[in-house]
């Protein structure tokens, strides 16, 4: 039985109560981590603890509980600041998730900075969350959008990228890791080229921050977005990292309580950073849970998390290579991809395949993965996708392979 060289998976698994669930009488093999991840006991406990002992509205009261809630919220922000090595507390804005983070940039930065005729550069491997906000912005402002294509193995067409950088774009928005192909893009190189071309950069890190060490200062991005629920944290919380200088210049996103310093009948003055971008009562429970998730990942070590996923991906790719009728999308080498593998098996519809796998306790995703333009480019209506995380083992890959064999038998492949 093969074991991870990087993580003690058996010990990790014990931290996740849900992994004891039986599904249709079988051991749960959870391979839908790109959609959302399971929660360790420390995250669940942090939320229970917050509500059991410290809950109040932060920033608003002078009473003890309000002070404790404020401290819990601030300390969670500090944890997230060091998790991605932001240079200042003010650079971490809490949002509902990656989608809201990108929309915040669209409204609070894009609406005021993008003009008619400006060029917005995206890639063909973006999630809808990193396409639709920019399409709406382009429609409103009269900007135009160009997409960097992909090579047959699912890498970015760097020749096209360079040509587009030569057209002095105003904005480059791209994913650091594709949620369909698994491709890891060289975010530091892309940001450096964009900066030289005078473009502002938005990095969709929804599939990277949870899975590999990310250092925003080394990367040199202007904005970076990610979600808590994809990194062992709760749903409904996420982060927008932004360079302080940009946040200072930007207009507010939503408005109301907490994002103001003073309000008069004649107008208002905005609060300090980052609160200027956090209108209304915030998701303190989410921030606390997210910080607990980041601490849990730190205790494993993000280098080891990355190596573990690379090991599992290499193992799965190797096993899949010998399955007749399988087509695997994305780069061949596990070193160039995150722990996400999309594939099709003969002409079995991915939803049918997902149902058969579910009968075996194997939870995977089927469909377009919120990346319809990429699917259209690949000429596909859907794929089946498996995605790994810290609690997945080589046994899980074996269970997946067993379930795929069963599907092949059922469909006489
Ligand atoms: C690459 C990528 N970007 C953005 C998102 C959106 O994340 P959320 O739904 O948590 O806002 C996802 C979610 O699947 C994703 O995979």
């Amino acid at each position: 039985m093969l074991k991870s060289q990087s993580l003690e998976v058996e010990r990790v698994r014990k931290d996740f109560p849900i992994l004891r669930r039986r599904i249709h009488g079988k051991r749960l093999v959870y391979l839908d981590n790109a959609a959302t991840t399971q929660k360790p006991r420390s995250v669940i406990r942090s939320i229970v603890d917050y509500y059991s002992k410290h809950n109040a509205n932060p920033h608003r009261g002078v009473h003890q509980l309000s002070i404790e809630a404020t401290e819990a919220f601030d300390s969670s922000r500090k944890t997230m600041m060091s998790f991605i090595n932001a240079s200042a507390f003010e650079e971490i804005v809490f949002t509902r998730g990656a989608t809201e983070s990108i929309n915040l940039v669209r409204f609070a930065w894009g609406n005021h900075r993008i003009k008619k005729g400006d060029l917005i550069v995206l890639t063909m491997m973006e999630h809808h969350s990193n396409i639709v906000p920019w399409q709406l912005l382009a429609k409103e402002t009269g900007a135009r959008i160009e997409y960097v294509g992909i090579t047959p193995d699912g890498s970015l067409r760097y020749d096209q990228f360079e040509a587009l950088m030569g057209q002095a774009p105003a904005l480059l928005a791209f994913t650091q890791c594709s949620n369909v192909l698994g491709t890891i893009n060289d975010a530091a190189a892309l940001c450096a080229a964009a900066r030289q071309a005078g473009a502002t950069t938005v990095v969709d890190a929804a599939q990277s921050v949870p899975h590999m060490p990310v250092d925003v200062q080394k990367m040199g991005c202007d904005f970076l977005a990610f979600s808590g629920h994809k990194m062992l944290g709760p749903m409904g919380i996420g982060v927008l990292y932004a360079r302080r200088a940009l946040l200072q210049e930007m207009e507010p996103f939503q408005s109301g309580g907490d994002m103001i310093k003073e309000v008069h009948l004649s107008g208002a003055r905005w609060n300090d950073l980052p609160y200027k971008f956090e209108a209304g009562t915030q998701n303190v429970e989410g921030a606390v849970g997210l910080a607990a998730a980041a601490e849990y990942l730190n205790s494993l070590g993000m280098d080891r998390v990355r190596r573990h996923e690379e090991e599992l991906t290499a193992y799965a790719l190797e096993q899949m290579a010998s399955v007749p009728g399988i087509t695997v999308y994305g780069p061949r080498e596990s070193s160039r991809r995150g722990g996400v593998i999309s594939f099709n098996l003969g002409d079995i519809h991915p939803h049918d395949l997902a149902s058969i796998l579910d009968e075996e306790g194997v939870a995977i995703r089927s469909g377009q993965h919120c990346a319809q333009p990429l699917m259209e480019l690949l000429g596909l209506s859907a794929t089946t996708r498996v995605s790994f995380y810290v609690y997945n083992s080589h046994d899980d890959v074996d269970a997946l392979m067993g379930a795929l064999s069963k599907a092949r038998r059922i469909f006489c492949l």
Side-chain angles (χ1 to χ4, degrees):
M1 199 192 299
L2 277 173
K3 273 199 174 357
S4 171
Q5 302 296 304
S6 313
L7 289 180
E8 277 183 63
V9 178
E10 278 318 306
R11 194 178 58 76
V12 170
R13 290 180 68 82
K14 292 202 175 91
D15 294 332
F16 292 80
I18 205 168
L19 297 180
R20 290 201 303 261
R21 278 274 327 255
R22 311 272 309 165
I23 302 290
H24 309 304
K26 307 268 169 51
R27 180 174 81 85
L28 167 62
V29 176
Y30 186 78
L31 296 176
D32 194 16
N33 294 288
T36 199
T37 59
Q38 302 303 345
K39 317 305 169 198
R41 213 171 263 113
S42 62
V43 168
I44 299 168
R45 212 183 286 128
S46 73
I47 297 167
V48 173
D49 188 66
Y50 171 72
Y51 279 129
S52 311
K53 298 186 191 145
H54 311 291
N55 177 53
N57 207 319
H59 302 148
R60 288 167 197 221
V62 291
H63 62 79
Q64 182 59 28
L65 285 183
S66 179
I67 292 165
E68 286 177 22
T70 306
E71 279 168 5
F73 197 42
D74 285 351
S75 129
S76 303
R77 198 185 308 271
K78 280 185 198 138
T79 302
M80 297 321 294
M81 171 191 154
S82 71
F83 194 70
I84 56 168
N85 196 30
S87 60
F89 180 85
E90 292 84 347
E91 295 182 328
I92 302 296
V93 177
F94 282 121
T95 63
R96 286 194 297 130
T99 302
E100 191 175 71
S101 297
I102 294 168
N103 274 278
L104 194 161
V105 180
R106 176 231 156 159
F107 284 105
W109 179 86
N111 274 9
H112 308 276
R113 296 288 181 282
I114 296 292
K115 301 178 304 297
K116 192 170 184 330
D118 277 353
L119 171 61
I120 296 172
V121 176
L122 308 177
T123 85
M124 286 304 303
M125 62 173 85
E126 299 310 313
H127 186 279
H128 295 164
S129 298
N130 203 23
I131 299 176
V132 185
W134 308 124
Q135 287 178 337
L136 289 170
L137 179 65
K139 197 167 162 197
E140 261 173 38
T141 58
R144 67 191 173 97
I145 299 182
E146 295 283 351
Y147 296 86
V148 180
I150 58 169
T151 62
D153 85 336
S155 302
L156 279 187
R157 289 274 309 266
Y158 281 90
D159 55 330
Q160 284 185 3
F161 172 76
E162 275 165 23
L164 287 167
M165 288 303 109
Q167 296 180 33
L171 173 70
L172 167 69
F174 67 95
T175 188
Q176 190 177 4
C177 179
S178 162
N179 66 315
V180 179
L181 302 167
T183 315
I184 296 176
N185 293 316
D186 185 345
L190 296 176
C191 288
R195 196 178 327 114
Q196 235 183 354
T200 297
T201 47
V202 178
V203 179
D204 177 350
Q207 299 292 349
S208 55
V209 163
H211 302 283
M212 59 189 78
V214 168
D215 179 327
V216 287
Q217 295 188 61
K218 276 196 194 142
M219 189 190 291
C221 55
D222 292 312
F223 297 102
L224 179 128
F226 60 98
S227 298
H229 70 97
K230 292 187 197 284
M231 55 178 286
L232 311 179
M235 290 191 173
I237 187 79
V239 168
L240 172 68
Y241 157 81
R243 283 199 300 108
R244 183 169 28 189
L246 281 167
L247 288 176
Q248 268 159 350
E249 288 167 11
M250 279 158 59
E251 295 301 318
F253 172 40
Q254 293 179 337
S255 51
D258 239 27
M259 51 73 71
I260 41 75
K261 197 156 242 169
E262 289 171 27
V263 183
H264 304 285
L265 292 181
S266 55
R269 267 197 334 118
W270 313 137
N271 206 344
D272 297 330
L273 297 178
Y275 312 112
K276 170 176 152 189
F277 296 100
E278 294 177 355
T281 299
Q282 293 296 298
N283 181 1
V284 181
E285 156 215 330
V288 166
L290 175 55
E295 273 156 13
Y296 184 88
L297 287 167
N298 279 334
S299 76
L300 299 179
M302 287 308 292
D303 278 319
R304 293 220 296 272
V305 169
R306 166 69 191 134
R307 280 205 303 276
H308 169 69
E309 286 183 30
E310 213 178 311
E311 267 182 60
L312 280 187
T313 306
Y315 181 61
L317 287 173
E318 193 187 307
Q319 303 291 307
M320 285 178 170
S322 57
V323 175
I326 203 165
T327 309
V328 176
Y329 305 99
R332 290 286 158 264
E333 310 84 23
S334 54
S335 59
R336 292 176 51 221
R337 59 191 299 159
V340 172
I341 305 176
S342 285
F343 62 95
N344 274 310
L345 187 54
D347 55 6
I348 308 178
H349 193 282
H351 291 328
D352 294 335
L353 189 54
S355 299
I356 294 170
L357 266 54
D358 179 57
E359 287 295 318
E360 299 300 302
V362 180
I364 53 105
R365 180 50 69 98
S366 53
Q368 296 184 332
H369 317 296
C370 294
Q372 210 176 335
L374 175 61
M375 290 289 152
E376 281 169 4
L377 181 74
L378 297 172
L380 300 169
S381 60
T383 73
T384 309
R385 179 185 75 184
V386 298
S387 48
F388 305 116
Y389 212 11
V390 293
Y391 35 71
N392 290 125
S393 61
H394 289 73
D395 284 356
D396 289 348
V397 177
D398 293 341
L400 166 71
M401 299 315 296
L404 289 179
S405 295
K406 183 178 168 192
R408 289 187 56 246
R409 282 196 302 275
I410 292 172
F411 282 89
C412 304
L413 277 184

